[in-house]
Amino acid sequence: MYGKGILKGLGVTAKRFWETYTEDLAWLLRGKKRYYTEEGVRHRSSKDQKGIFTVQYPEERLILPEEARYLPFLVYNELADGKREILCTSCGICAKVCPPQCIWIVRSNDPTTGRPIPEPTEFFIDADICMNCGYCAEYCPFDAIKMDHDFEIASYGRNVYNMEQLLKSSEYYKSIRPQNYAREEAARKAEEEAKKAKAAAKAAAEAAAKAAPPPAEPPAASAADTQVNS
Amino acid sequence: MTTPAPASTSTIDLVARFPGVVQADARPGYSGFIVEKDSLIEVATAIRDEFGFDLMTAVTGVDYAPDKMEVVYHAYRTTGGPSLVFKVQVPRVDPVEVPSLIHLWPGVDLQEREAWDLLGIKFTGHPDLRRILMWEGFEGHPLRKDWKEGFYEEDTKPFKSRWPDGQFYMAEDKNPFKDNLTFPQNFDPEKWIPEGDALLYGALARYTVKSEEGISTDRIVINMGPHHPSTHGVFRAVMTLDGETIVGLKPVLGYLHRNHDKIGERNTYLQNMPFTDRLDYFNSMTNNFGYALAVEKLMKIPVAERAEYIRVIVSELSRIQNHLIFIGTTLNDLGAMYTPSLYTFEERELILDVFEAISGARMMCNYFRFGGVVRDIEEAEMNKIKDLVYERIPPKTDELDRMLSENEVLVSRMKGVRMINAEDAVAYSVTGPVLRAAGVPYDIRRADPYGIYDRFDFDVAVRYNGDLMDNYLIRIDEIRQSLRILDQAIKQIPQGPINSQKPQYQVRVPAGEAYGRVESPKGELGYYVVSNGKPNPWRYHVRPASFVNVTSLEKICVGTKIADFVVLLAMFDMVMGECDR
Ligand code: SF4
Ligand code: SF4
């Protein structure tokens, strides 16, 4: 029959239209809210979604998975005396790996000793050039730079963030990426434990060495030690 | 279960067939043959006719500054098997001249023009050697090693200015005109006449068709694009019309050109990965795949077993969502307005949700690393994928099929409107669904398997009419085949590490060359990478499917009505980001 295909197609549309309302009704009868609740949004972006699937941004938002990445930020720990402990050591790896080269780090030397200060003096990220690739966070050896979830960065000018604008607390980091945070904390703890165990073992060995009579040729033994270490 | 991967290059002995003029390429890390310039046509004819390498897929040049330039050809057989790589070397003095192969393989047309534009290699015998990606008044050839752009900072990254005392400044401020163009000497924009357009219209004026008996009609030249809703980006088609019939057509590209190749040569190997995402922005997963393959070939490293499966899973999901958008937007081009695309976007969104959860981004995934992938697919995401593959996508595909495939309007617009026949498609180096819809069962996943595709049981979707209807239906076939692959991959995926290498921000790549190619949803996507052992690639070339497919646009459109042009173009599923790079 001519026109059957068109009717079939329209049937699909009619089904969607219908489903939107039956779904609404079903949620209503179950006493749940389909709109403006997290549950509702979650359902609308799941495989069981039927009918309308749009999200009423900005009143409603899609639920971001933990790994979602927008712009990087620097992590600091809040210390007991209110000071901030910046984790970054200005090692420069993120600036070297950044594909569009939008990270600029100023590292400075201690005026008295002339040795480099680990903490960066300045840290710029040109957020308009950042391609949100996540390399800086991925390759930072100190977990000092992380990818943010905040994507609302519209502005009238250029977004060149300096260190003040980039710093966010580790509490915030924990709130957006609980699993990553837990994993890193566990790794850090394990490392510290290992360090402590090593130190304890070393102290014990030293104590034992002291207690025991001095070895016949101490210089030779220490030379061997340095060789192993180097 | 594992079959050994086929050799990456063919074992044909060209040297014995052409003693004296052909040599094996003996540089360490290289393969293929070096052909004398004067015998290129003769050797190439034999390669095509005697040895049967009918599909010339990639042509590009390499600037081995300061002494020579090289043109590299990758030829394949449509029956499958590894490539035959041959090269011509010419001294790097102006003009650099190489005979054009356009009469043997018309598909090299745009690629030769690109090599001319970006590298300044003159292809003698090419009938229409104009710039293609840069504008006509552009100074120099940007891929030459001695060319420097307006914001030039340093030859290669990482730039030293960033650390350890990286005071921020804007690149624009270094240039008094705040633009990154360099102009030819004595250039006066007021007096400049765009010769390119004159040449372009001149090229179109070549076409003459006999007018209908008794009725004399004026031909009219019209520009469709670059900003036309149907061109899927900034693409311009200049057409000569005789009444409603297209009698001549030239594609004009370059409006979105970002010089991806040049950026790639200045980046380090790893830094290129997120840039590949931006080529075909619907398919960052397959783009990553091709590049990872090329560099892994160079580095000679294995890929972790679990990562191999993850790669297949994500690239097949990517194919599904790409074909879904294709169907939606094609219907849009046919005048179905917004409804079908909304329906297809629903499924796509669900797939992107998975991508976002595993990689961090919906479209710019940056998910592959050399030797594996960056992050594992956790249990929760795996369950989501299973839900999609087993419960959600199959019925939705059927529904889409039900809604569209018998629709009378659709059928009357598409059935019998010829796209391209098999012979022309091969000659014009068309790849992907368009080639398969013309009746050539050529799919790289089968013809020259990469990754672990040889372990899966699936059919190469093929249809034989080569009309629009078949081009559309083949996408639905491919979605179903992808679901088959996904089903097997999900069942077989082992536990284990997801990368065979330690994460490192600077990889060591030994000197040599490699060509990695994948069957992207649009056709063959290839990366030709040359390393000289340094941290940055010496040559990085992308062979995009859209760009090469559009070579055949003229062949396809001449003789059809202008009203069909929009759909004919849509069938290539072009993404200008990939086409212009
Ligand atoms: S890689 Fe990490 S520690 Fe090193 S400079 Fe960057 S943010 Fe700081
Ligand atoms: S996310 Fe990528 S582009 Fe952005 S600052 Fe980090 S490394 Fe650079």
Side-chain angles (χ1 to χ4, degrees):
Chain A
M1 183 186 81
Y2 192 75
K4 201 169 140 214
I6 293 179
L7 288 180
K8 263 191 194 169
L10 288 176
V12 171
T13 300
K15 190 171 142 241
R16 307 248 167 176
F17 178 78
W18 189 244
E19 272 172 356
T20 303
Y21 293 100
T22 50
E23 275 290 294
D24 282 357
L25 208 65
W27 279 67
L28 209 66
L29 290 180
R30 273 186 282 140
K32 287 184 181 169
K33 283 185 83 182
R34 189 169 187 229
Y35 299 95
Y36 309 114
T37 56
E38 192 186 316
E39 195 192 4
V41 176
R42 230 179 249 290
H43 183 262
R44 259 174 291 154
S45 42
S46 77
K47 70 165 166 67
D48 305 316
Q49 163 268 335
K50 276 188 200 145
I52 196 168
F53 73 112
T54 42
V55 167
Q56 310 294 326
Y57 181 82
E59 289 84 19
E60 287 181 322
R61 274 154 205 262
L62 283 175
I63 289 139
L64 289 176
E66 178 172 334
E67 288 301 341
R69 55 178 148 83
Y70 293 93
L71 287 168
F73 65 90
L74 290 171
V75 189
Y76 69 84
N77 288 333
E78 195 116 18
L79 296 182
D81 56 0
K83 280 213 180 110
R84 297 184 305 194
E85 179 200 18
I86 298 170
L87 298 183
C88 175
T89 62
S90 68
C91 69
I93 287 180
C94 55
K96 284 182 217 155
V97 76
C98 174
Q101 298 275 277
C102 67
I103 300 183
W104 306 65
I105 303 169
V106 184
R107 166 182 219 174
S108 44
N109 295 336
D110 193 313
T112 47
T113 58
R115 305 267 291 280
I117 307 172
E119 213 165 80
T121 313
E122 251 315 346
F123 202 107
F124 300 98
I125 292 184
D126 192 338
D128 293 341
I129 290 176
C130 170
M131 59 204 291
N132 313 347
C133 68
Y135 275 164
C136 46
E138 196 179 322
Y139 291 101
C140 173
F142 302 96
D143 291 323
I145 191 165
K146 291 292 164 193
M147 301 304 284
D148 208 342
H149 280 183
D150 177 23
F151 50 85
E152 289 159 321
I153 60 158
S155 75
Y156 284 104
R158 277 281 289 262
N159 295 299
V160 182
Y161 293 162
N162 60 20
M163 197 149 83
E164 220 24 65
Q165 288 160 297
L166 283 170
L167 280 170
K168 292 192 179 173
S169 70
S170 50
E171 284 306 307
Y172 172 75
Y173 172 50
K174 193 174 159 186
S175 72
I176 60 166
R177 291 168 181 263
Q179 285 173 31
N180 279 338
Y181 183 80
R183 203 176 307 137
E184 282 157 19
E185 276 305 298
R188 215 189 325 273
K189 285 243 170 70
E191 205 172 287
E192 265 168 30
E193 292 291 305
K195 245 188 206 163
K196 255 188 218 157
K198 220 177 161 188
K202 212 178 161 195
E206 268 169 19
K210 258 189 194 157
E217 286 164 46
S222 77
D225 264 350
T226 43
Q227 235 165 29
V228 170
N229 288 342
S230 60
Chain B
M1 196 162 110
T2 320
T3 41
S8 62
T9 42
S10 125
T11 45
I12 282 171
D13 195 2
L14 269 186
V15 183
R17 170 73 178 72
F18 295 98
V21 295
V22 177
Q23 293 165 358
D25 192 342
R27 291 170 288 179
Y30 285 74
S31 59
F33 303 96
I34 297 177
V35 183
E36 283 296 316
K37 181 176 121 186
D38 298 329
S39 340
L40 176 67
I41 305 246
E42 184 200 347
V43 176
T45 313
I47 287 171
R48 188 189 68 169
D49 299 340
E50 272 175 42
F51 300 111
F53 287 85
D54 45 356
L55 189 69
M56 167 60 76
T57 64
V59 180
T60 189
V62 188
D63 179 6
Y64 285 101
D67 30 276
K68 56 180 188 259
M69 288 254 197
E70 189 176 273
V71 182
V72 188
Y73 300 88
H74 284 84
Y76 286 89
R77 289 180 171 130
T78 42
T79 47
S83 66
L84 185 84
V85 189
F86 59 101
K87 302 153 192 182
V88 190
Q89 292 187 336
V90 274
R92 195 175 182 276
V93 288
D94 273 329
V96 180
E97 277 184 284
V98 174
S100 168
L101 294 186
I102 192 167
H103 302 295
L104 289 170
W105 287 285
V108 301
D109 182 357
L110 298 191
Q111 298 193 70
E112 287 190 343
R113 275 178 66 190
E114 184 195 305
W116 156 246
D117 187 1
L118 302 182
L119 281 151
I121 299 169
K122 256 203 181 101
F123 290 91
T124 46
H126 191 294
D128 189 22
L129 198 65
R130 288 177 288 118
R131 282 192 180 275
I132 182 163
L133 297 174
M134 316 306 292
W135 62 296
E136 284 296 331
F138 190 83
E139 169 81 334
H141 301 285
L143 281 187
R144 288 200 173 189
K145 287 291 171 186
D146 46 14
W147 185 89
K148 303 216 181 337
E149 80 279 12
F151 291 157
Y152 177 79
E153 202 171 328
E154 245 176 274
D155 261 346
T156 53
K157 291 173 189 171
F159 294 149
K160 291 187 191 69
S161 56
R162 302 304 195 265
W163 185 86
D165 35 25
Q167 283 297 343
F168 179 82
Y169 63 82
M170 290 204 203
E172 303 89 291
D173 293 340
K174 290 178 104 183
N175 181 322
F177 301 110
K178 298 218 171 212
D179 62 29
N180 68 346
L181 288 177
T182 37
F183 294 99
Q185 247 180 359
N186 304 328
F187 179 82
D188 181 358
E190 301 295 313
K191 296 205 184 99
W192 183 66
I193 302 161
E195 278 167 36
D197 276 5
L199 281 176
L200 171 68
Y201 295 128
L204 275 173
R206 285 205 324 263
Y207 298 96
T208 49
V209 286
K210 289 188 188 73
S211 67
E212 293 277 324
E213 219 60 57
I215 307 164
S216 66
T217 47
D218 275 347
R219 284 203 194 85
I220 177 171
V221 175
I222 67 157
N223 282 288
M224 199 138 168
H227 292 283
H228 190 279
S230 76
T231 53
H232 294 218
V234 274
F235 173 80
R236 169 175 163 216
V238 189
M239 295 180 252
T240 321
L241 298 184
D242 184 8
E244 277 186 38
T245 313
I246 301 173
V247 294
L249 186 146
K250 283 277 166 201
V252 184
L253 308 165
Y255 295 98
L256 198 61
H257 183 57
R258 299 159 288 175
N259 232 334
H260 184 87
D261 290 14
K262 185 81 180 178
I263 295 172
E265 283 165 24
R266 299 167 50 142
N267 280 344
T268 61
Y269 286 91
L270 186 71
Q271 284 176 347
N272 270 340
M273 194 59 88
F275 277 92
T276 63
D277 292 342
R278 275 110 179 132
L279 283 172
D280 171 359
Y281 34 77
F282 289 138
N283 287 300
S284 65
M285 290 294 187
T286 40
N287 297 350
N288 280 185
F289 204 163
Y291 180 61
L293 280 179
V295 178
E296 278 154 9
K297 249 189 224 176
L298 271 173
M299 292 169 71
K300 303 191 183 64
I301 54 168
V303 179
E305 186 69 7
R306 183 172 170 86
E308 288 274 28
Y309 281 91
I310 293 180
R311 286 176 170 199
V312 169
I313 290 173
V314 293
S315 47
E316 291 309 314
L317 282 175
S318 181
R319 188 182 317 278
I320 292 175
Q321 58 91 9
N322 177 77
H323 285 344
L324 285 172
I325 314 177
F326 164 82
I327 293 167
T329 50
T330 304
L331 269 289
N332 208 347
D333 285 341
L334 271 173
M337 295 314 284
Y338 207 47
T339 317
S341 25
L342 265 182
Y343 294 171
T344 56
F345 268 72
E346 275 182 343
E347 310 327 305
R348 174 171 189 261
E349 285 300 311
L350 294 176
I351 293 177
L352 294 194
D353 283 344
V354 172
F355 285 176
E356 190 175 24
I358 59 174
S359 76
R362 301 179 81 79
M363 289 172 81
M364 302 299 143
C365 297
N366 187 19
Y367 186 57
F368 286 42
R369 296 289 177 275
F370 310 129
V373 292
V374 59
R375 212 166 281 114
D376 205 351
I377 302 186
E378 306 286 340
E379 196 60 32
E381 271 69 52
M382 205 45 142
N383 288 338
K384 243 186 208 171
I385 295 175
K386 281 181 194 158
D387 287 344
L388 287 180
V389 171
Y390 295 124
E391 288 176 39
R392 175 86 190 184
I393 299 174
K396 289 287 172 179
T397 314
D398 295 343
E399 186 187 75
L400 202 65
D401 202 4
R402 204 160 59 234
M403 170 166 84
L404 300 171
S405 305
E406 281 168 38
N407 185 311
E408 284 81 359
V409 181
L410 194 91
V411 173
S412 65
R413 281 295 301 277
M414 306 234 267
K415 207 161 194 129
V417 181
R418 265 307 261 245
M419 185 85 176
I420 195 162
N421 62 26
E423 204 177 304
D424 287 335
V426 174
Y428 278 93
S429 310
V430 173
T431 48
V434 180
L435 177 66
R436 291 192 285 276
V440 183
Y442 182 74
D443 185 320
I444 301 171
R445 291 175 293 171
R446 269 273 178 273
D448 185 14
Y450 54 93
I452 50 163
Y453 274 107
D454 47 356
R455 297 187 198 166
F456 298 114
D457 185 24
F458 67 100
D459 298 321
V460 173
V462 59
R463 298 216 168 219
Y464 298 95
N465 296 322
D467 61 356
L468 294 181
M469 197 66 197
D470 275 7
N471 268 287
Y472 153 75
L473 288 174
I474 201 155
R475 263 76 179 203
I476 293 190
D477 297 346
E478 286 194 8
I479 292 178
R480 297 204 165 114
Q481 294 303 331
S482 288
L483 287 170
R484 265 178 82 183
I485 299 178
L486 278 167
D487 168 40
Q488 298 165 48
I490 291 171
K491 284 188 179 134
Q492 293 172 15
I493 184 166
Q495 290 298 330
I498 43 128
N499 202 324
S500 63
Q501 313 288 308
K502 269 203 212 123
Q504 47 189 348
Y505 70 95
Q506 186 80 275
V507 292
R508 287 186 144 271
V509 181
E513 59 162 12
Y515 182 63
R517 58 176 199 156
V518 291
E519 182 69 37
S520 92
K522 288 162 180 143
E524 172 175 339
L525 173 68
Y527 292 83
Y528 178 69
V529 183
V530 177
S531 161
N532 60 353
K534 298 242 170 68
N536 310 75
W538 178 257
R539 179 81 175 95
Y540 164 83
H541 173 73
V542 184
R543 183 264 187 224
S546 306
F547 179 74
V548 183
N549 283 356
V550 86
T551 316
S552 63
L553 189 65
E554 182 178 15
K555 176 85 195 166
I556 288 170
C557 291
V558 168
T560 61
K561 295 274 193 286
I562 175 119
D564 287 329
F565 171 76
V566 172
V567 204
L568 288 167
L569 183 68
M571 280 302 159
F572 281 125
D573 194 7
M574 289 217 306
V575 161
M576 292 317 285
E578 184 194 22
C579 194
D580 283 358
R581 284 155 287 144

